[in-house]
Structure formats: structure tokens, C-alpha cells
Amino acid sequence: MPVNAPNEYYIAEEKYRNAKTREEKIRYLEEMIALLPKHHGSEKLLMELKKRLAKIKSQKESKTAKSGFSLKKEGAAQVCLIGLANSGKSTLLKLLTGVDVKIDEYPYTTTKPEVGMMKYEDVWIQIVEIPSTFEPAWMGIAKHCDLIIKVIDGQRDLHEQRKEIRRILEEHRIKVPSIKIITKRPLDIEKIKKDIWNNLGIIRIYTKSKEVEEKPIIFKGKVTVKDVAKEVHKDFLKHFRYARVWGKSVKFQGAQVGLEHELADKDIVQIFA
Ligand SMILES: Nc1nc2c(ncn2[C@@H]2O[C@H](COP(=O)(O)OP(=O)(O)OP(=O)(O)O)[C@@H](O)[C@H]2O)c(=O)[nH]1
Ligand SMILES: [Mg+2]
């Protein structure tokens, strides 16, 4: 964008980017607005900065904390994108899910969590972009998600960003498994999707009566026949006789197994009661 701003503007922008408190954010935003040359080419940016300032001013920090923003979990798992402002979170969200999200060259474009659904084989996974203001309400989502993707800007100091993200997560006591993705470099989206999937530890079980069900039952971690029986119908567990299993957890396809048999992703299970 040909805004031709003076160097001081970019210094204020850098300080704004690194601002930790609401007061600092307000101070540097006001500086940026004052330093931005006012002409046609800068109109859009000026408007955005003013909007951002109004928004921060309207929020009392304690109020935000109590606002309890909630987002309905959808799909087989929920994954959060966390990174510093302008690191490429929205771009990644769009690449993974196809959602039409606002992407722009100035920081803090995303002001509320943005959501998209990513398809992996036959399951949907919810991906959430956490705004880089890291308001407690947004961090509450990250605290309860299944996986965090640390989004690291490949054009900035990688080590500093990793340190800062770690600090933010610790500050909010978030202990969720995580992976890292470096943006603004050639991205292999299919590999990233696979990486996400492999780190979620999801196990899909297809039940069978006459036919194999098309839609799997989703589990996380260790799954036994008992878990599946419970999920299908409580009578199945009470009157359980045996199950037949097809897939990776058995040597012989269609093998007869008991309640304690541990299943693998994509196994087919038929319960006899
Ligand atoms: N060349 C290049 N530019 C990228 C890439 N990813 C993001 N960008 C650019 O970086 C800028 C910020 O991208 P966003 O996706 O909006 O980043 P963000 O982390 O969502 O930013 P905020 O919501 O403002 O915190 C935009 O100008 C993007 O076009 C990339 O892989 N390559
Ligand atoms: Mg964004």
C-alpha cells in the first residue's frame, strides 16, 4: 500500500506489535494514527487503525476477562492457531479450510476468533484463529482445544517468536499439545493436514450390523471394544458375548475378540450380544 509513512510510524507500529498491555496498545495506536500521512492511499489503513483503537478503548480489561466468549466445538476435534500479529494465521486458516477470512498486511486484522472446518479423509476438524490480542476470552478457547498450532512468521526472528508464544501460553496456563508451522515460506498444505491429524490421536471406529456404517464413531487415545459397546447401546455392554474385528488391530480379519481388545484407527467392529 503506497502510504509513504515516515520511519517513526514504523517504529510506533513495531512498539504496538510488541505492546503487552491495553494502555501500551492505545498509546502506540494513537501515535501511529498521528504519524500516518493523510491522503487517499492511506485512507483504508487510517480507518482500520481508528476502528482498532475504538475497539480497544471500549474494552475494559476485566470486562473482557468475564465476557466468557464461547465457541461451539464442531467436528472430530478443535485446533487453535496461535501466533504473533501478522504472522500468517488467517492465511493458513484459509488454506486449510477454504474459509473466506480477512487477510491484510497490517497487524491485528483479526479481532475476534475466526473459524473454519478442515476435511481430513472422512472427518471434519474445526480450526480456530485466536486473535493476537490474546484476550482472556479468546485464550479460554485455546485452553480447551485438542491441539495448538504455533504459527511462526518465517520472515521474523524465529527464536524470539517461539519464546514469546511459550510465555503467552504459560501466562494463561495452557497445556495443550502443540505443533509449529513456519509461514511465509513454501507450505505443503497436504503435509500440514497430515501433521495435524497425526498429532490429534483420533481413532475412527466403524460399527457394523448388516452393513458397515459410513460414519465413524470418533475416539481419542486408547479405545477398547468395551468403549465402542458403551457408545452404541448400553444393552450391548450388559449382554455382550463377543465382537468381530476387521482392521489393523487384528492379525486375522474378522477375528473374534473380547471387551478388553484394543482397537486401531479405521477398525470395523461388529458386536454380538
Ligand atoms: N509471501 C507470503 N506472505 C504471507 C504468507 N502468509 C501470510 N502472508 C502475508 O502476511 C500478512 C499477514 O497475513 P495474515 O494471514 O493476515 O496474518 P495474521 O496472523 O492472521 O494477522 P493478524 O490477524 O493481523 O494478526 C498478509 O499481508 C499476508 O498476505 C505467506 O505464506 N507468504
Ligand atoms: Mg488474522
Side-chain angles (χ1 to χ4, degrees):
M1 195 188 298
V3 293
N4 296 323
N7 210 23
E8 288 79 7
Y9 171 85
Y10 295 102
I11 294 170
E13 183 182 292
E14 188 61 26
K15 285 183 180 163
Y16 173 57
R17 237 188 266 236
N18 294 322
K20 303 255 168 10
T21 65
R22 174 176 172 272
E23 282 62 37
E24 277 179 342
K25 279 176 194 152
I26 291 174
R27 175 162 20 119
Y28 297 123
L29 258 179
E30 283 175 342
E31 257 184 61
M32 284 163 73
I33 290 170
L35 288 162
L36 191 72
K38 313 294 184 290
H39 56 68
H40 184 67
S42 67
E43 247 170 36
K44 193 173 152 225
L45 178 57
L46 184 65
M47 216 175 69
E48 285 300 333
L49 292 175
K50 284 184 172 170
K51 227 161 74 184
R52 179 82 220 141
L53 179 64
K55 182 149 190 201
I56 296 180
K57 278 187 168 172
S58 74
Q59 295 162 340
K60 286 215 175 75
E61 222 129 40
S62 56
K63 226 184 190 173
T64 316
K66 279 188 226 137
S67 73
F69 179 91
S70 79
L71 180 83
K72 201 168 160 264
K73 270 197 185 192
E74 269 170 18
Q78 188 185 54
V79 176
C80 283
L81 301 174
I82 294 193
L84 303 189
N86 204 246
S87 56
K89 302 177 295 298
S90 296
T91 305
L92 191 58
L93 177 69
K94 188 174 181 177
L95 286 170
L96 290 170
T97 68
V99 73
D100 190 21
V101 63
K102 197 167 171 211
I103 294 167
D104 221 321
E105 62 192 281
Y106 52 86
Y108 302 103
T109 300
T110 306
T111 55
K112 61 165 190 42
E114 292 285 357
V115 185
M117 297 301 288
M118 173 184 107
K119 183 102 189 256
Y120 186 84
E121 294 180 353
D122 58 352
V123 290
W124 290 93
I125 292 163
Q126 187 184 48
I127 314 275
V128 185
E129 174 183 0
I130 301 294
S132 300
T133 45
F134 308 116
E135 287 161 45
W138 314 151
M139 299 313 273
I141 301 169
K143 203 175 220 162
H144 298 107
C145 76
D146 301 294
L147 181 73
I148 285 174
I149 298 179
K150 296 177 178 170
V151 181
I152 316 264
D153 185 337
Q155 292 175 353
R156 282 153 68 189
D157 187 321
L158 305 186
H159 178 67
E160 276 303 312
Q161 289 176 78
R162 277 204 289 264
K163 229 170 68 184
E164 180 61 6
I165 295 171
R166 204 180 314 130
R167 189 193 65 74
I168 291 160
L169 292 177
E170 273 169 16
E171 186 186 312
H172 292 270
R173 296 179 209 288
I174 296 173
K175 304 212 168 3
V176 177
S178 68
I179 59 173
K180 291 181 200 85
I181 289 172
I182 300 181
T183 57
K184 307 193 185 177
R185 290 183 183 178
L187 292 175
D188 182 343
I189 285 299
E190 287 315 307
K191 190 182 165 293
I192 293 174
K193 285 186 179 180
K194 208 172 181 120
D195 225 21
I196 294 172
W197 175 260
N198 287 339
N199 279 279
L200 281 170
I202 290 174
I203 295 180
R204 292 164 286 182
I205 302 296
Y206 302 84
T207 54
K208 178 181 167 170
S209 46
K210 273 199 190 99
E211 301 285 329
V212 177
E213 287 291 326
E214 225 173 273
K215 225 176 139 216
I217 306 178
I218 302 290
F219 294 95
K220 272 195 82 188
K222 198 181 147 198
V223 184
T224 61
V225 171
K226 193 176 182 175
D227 297 317
V228 177
K230 263 197 275 187
E231 197 66 32
V232 178
H233 200 286
K234 65 177 190 309
D235 284 351
F236 263 14
L237 188 59
K238 220 157 79 188
H239 305 294
F240 179 86
R241 283 162 53 216
Y242 64 92
R244 284 196 189 281
V245 175
W246 292 260
K248 275 187 251 146
S249 76
V250 286
K251 255 198 209 135
F252 304 104
Q253 298 308 305
Q256 196 169 315
V257 300
L259 280 176
E260 301 311 320
H261 176 79
E262 193 176 336
L263 297 161
D265 183 36
K266 284 178 143 178
D267 275 3
I268 296 169
V269 178
Q270 185 173 24
I271 294 172
F272 295 86

